[in-house]
């Protein structure tokens, strides 16, 4: 009986995590298609490039937020903080499994935050790289 | 064991009654501003800072702000048109000067009828309420900015701005 309920629980859990991972995969697939369209030599996303995008200090954006880490913090698994002092949930998928599952939300914040940090919108490749990095975190 | 449970239960009940009475006393004063109840507004206007209660600004201020979200105090807070419309409707209906909604007009004392102030923290009433806060307080690291109400008003998310 106990084994059965444990099995059922595990099945439900797997089903649940599949439900959460699927939209994230869809979002990545959409960025892949877009990246290919933007650059014929595109050969897949890179978590290492994503990490550099995340941690580097950029110029071109706002002086008080030169890096993604200005708000999201150095530690991807810890909470970040907005300039107004509000706490931001961690960005690492391992500790925030519901993240990057709503395409409109993801797009909205990439648009806002890339302008804020880089002074321009991010390319599809940059977005995919960044998401690839967060998925490894 | 039993008497202990009973006294805990009595304590909890008394506390609940006290909380209700406190809530009644505070509604209608400058200490209570009804928190945002619209989930969309809470979500869209509550990610960078707390979702400020609509009763803290007049309707015309919210209308102006909602028309300029792409440059919102130097940040891009823009949303799609349908979202903006729903948020504007909510904020305007619950604004400090909206008829039938609480009595928040006193909060706007000193604001000219033609002005659409964008900062709560520049309203004459707000400035008055905070004139005794020492300049050192505002520069404390956890505070970051005057707009970080929650740093000092721990119950601000629930609408309470009493002296903590």
């Amino acid at each position: 009986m106990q084994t059965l309920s444990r099995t059922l629980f595990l099945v439900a859990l797997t089903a649940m995590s599949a439900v959460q991972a699927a939209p994230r995969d869809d979002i990545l697939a959409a960025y892949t298609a877009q990246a290919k369209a933007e650059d014929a030599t595109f050969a897949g996303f890179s978590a290492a490039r994503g990490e550099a995008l995340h941690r580097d200090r950029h110029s071109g954006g706002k002086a008080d937020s030169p890096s993604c880490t200005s708000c999201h913090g150095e530690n991807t698994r810890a909470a970040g903080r907005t300039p107004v002092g509000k706490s931001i949930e961690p960005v690492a998928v391992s500790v925030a499994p519901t993240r990057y599952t709503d395409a409109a939300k993801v797009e909205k914040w990439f648009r806002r935050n890339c302008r804020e940090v880089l002074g321009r919108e991010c390319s599809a490749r940059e977005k995919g790289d960044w998401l690839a990095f967060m998925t490894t975190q | 064991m039993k008497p202990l449970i009973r006294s805990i239960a009595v304590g909890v009940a008394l506390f609940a009654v006290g909380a209700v009475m406190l809530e009644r006393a505070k509604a209608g004063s400058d200490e209570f501003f009804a928190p945002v109840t619209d989930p969309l507004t809470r979500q869209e206007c509550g990610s960078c800072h707390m979702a400020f209660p609509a009763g803290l600004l007049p309707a015309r201020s919210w209308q102006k702000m909602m028309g300029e979200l792409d440059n919102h105090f130097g940040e891009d807070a823009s949303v799609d048109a349908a979202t903006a419309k729903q948020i504007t409707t909510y904020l305007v209906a619950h604004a400090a000067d909206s008829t039938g909604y609480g009595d928040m007009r006193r909060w706007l004392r000193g604001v000219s009828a033609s002005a659409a102030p964008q900062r709560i923290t520049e309203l004459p009433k707000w400035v008055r309420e905070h004139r005794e806060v020492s300049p050192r307080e505002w520069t404390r690291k956890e505070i970051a900015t005057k707009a970080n109400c929650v740093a000092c008003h721990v119950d601000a998310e629930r609408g309470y701005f009493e002296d903590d």
Side-chain angles (χ1 to χ4, degrees):
Chain A
M1 197 53 203
Q2 241 187 353
T3 337
L4 176 64
S5 66
R6 199 178 308 135
T7 314
L8 282 176
F9 174 71
L10 282 178
V11 168
L13 197 72
T14 321
M16 263 161 60
S17 49
V19 164
Q20 279 171 354
R24 193 155 50 233
D25 292 344
D26 290 349
I27 292 171
L28 270 169
Y31 285 140
T32 306
Q34 215 182 326
K36 276 186 189 145
E38 283 170 12
D39 175 7
T41 66
F42 173 77
F45 295 127
S46 144
R49 282 196 311 248
E51 174 160 21
L53 172 66
H54 184 67
R55 298 198 188 283
D56 284 355
R57 294 175 68 84
H58 305 269
S59 50
K62 279 173 64 177
D64 50 2
S65 53
S67 168
C68 304
T69 60
S70 307
C71 293
H72 292 296
E74 292 296 333
N75 181 353
T76 55
R77 294 189 194 87
R81 194 171 188 244
T82 72
V84 198
K86 179 151 179 153
S87 166
I88 306 177
E89 207 197 332
V91 278
V93 168
S94 62
V95 289
T98 57
R99 277 215 181 274
Y100 324 120
T101 51
D102 172 347
K105 178 178 180 191
V106 171
E107 267 295 283
K108 180 178 72 191
W109 287 100
F110 269 133
R111 176 172 47 78
R112 287 177 179 168
N113 293 339
C114 289
R115 280 202 203 141
E116 184 106 4
V117 172
L118 308 165
R120 61 167 174 84
E121 300 220 3
C122 285
S123 66
R125 200 205 74 191
E126 286 170 321
K127 293 175 193 172
D129 287 348
W130 193 87
L131 288 176
F133 172 54
M134 289 311 163
T135 317
T136 68
Q137 287 299 286
Chain B
M1 195 59 201
K2 275 243 173 83
L4 175 65
I5 291 178
R6 199 177 309 131
S7 53
I8 289 176
V10 168
V12 167
L14 280 178
F15 183 79
V17 169
V20 168
M21 281 164 58
L22 212 62
E23 193 136 350
R24 290 233 181 93
K26 275 172 186 164
S29 76
D30 288 343
E31 299 180 347
F32 182 78
F33 290 83
V36 170
T37 49
D38 175 41
L40 187 66
T41 308
R42 257 193 111 76
Q43 187 194 313
E44 293 295 341
C45 305
S47 39
C48 297
H49 43 65
M50 75 169 289
F52 299 116
L56 284 167
L57 285 176
R60 54 190 187 276
S61 294
W62 293 124
Q63 267 153 344
K64 179 165 192 278
M65 188 177 296
M66 292 305 296
E68 316 172 327
L69 282 184
D70 55 334
N71 186 4
H72 177 75
F73 303 90
E75 287 201 28
D76 176 6
S78 56
V79 293
D80 63 71
T83 306
K85 196 167 166 224
Q86 185 178 330
I87 295 175
T88 310
T89 305
Y90 172 81
L91 290 173
V92 165
H94 298 80
D97 56 345
S98 74
T99 42
Y101 179 74
D103 180 16
M104 288 294 159
R105 272 164 228 256
R106 272 179 312 135
W107 182 249
L108 300 179
R109 202 174 293 154
V111 179
S112 123
S114 59
Q118 296 295 285
R119 280 195 184 272
I120 299 155
T121 54
E122 284 174 2
L123 297 179
K125 265 291 227 180
W126 192 94
V127 173
R128 253 180 63 121
E129 297 284 7
H130 294 85
R131 77 193 148 181
E132 279 166 30
V133 181
S134 85
R136 235 189 29 244
E137 275 288 292
W138 299 117
T139 49
R140 254 168 53 206
K141 200 168 150 277
E142 318 83 78
I143 308 271
T145 136
K146 289 178 182 176
N148 190 9
C149 321
V150 187
C152 303
H153 302 285
V154 290
D155 254 354
E157 293 279 7
R158 287 175 48 239
Y160 295 106
F161 291 91
E162 73 267 37
D163 189 356
D164 292 311

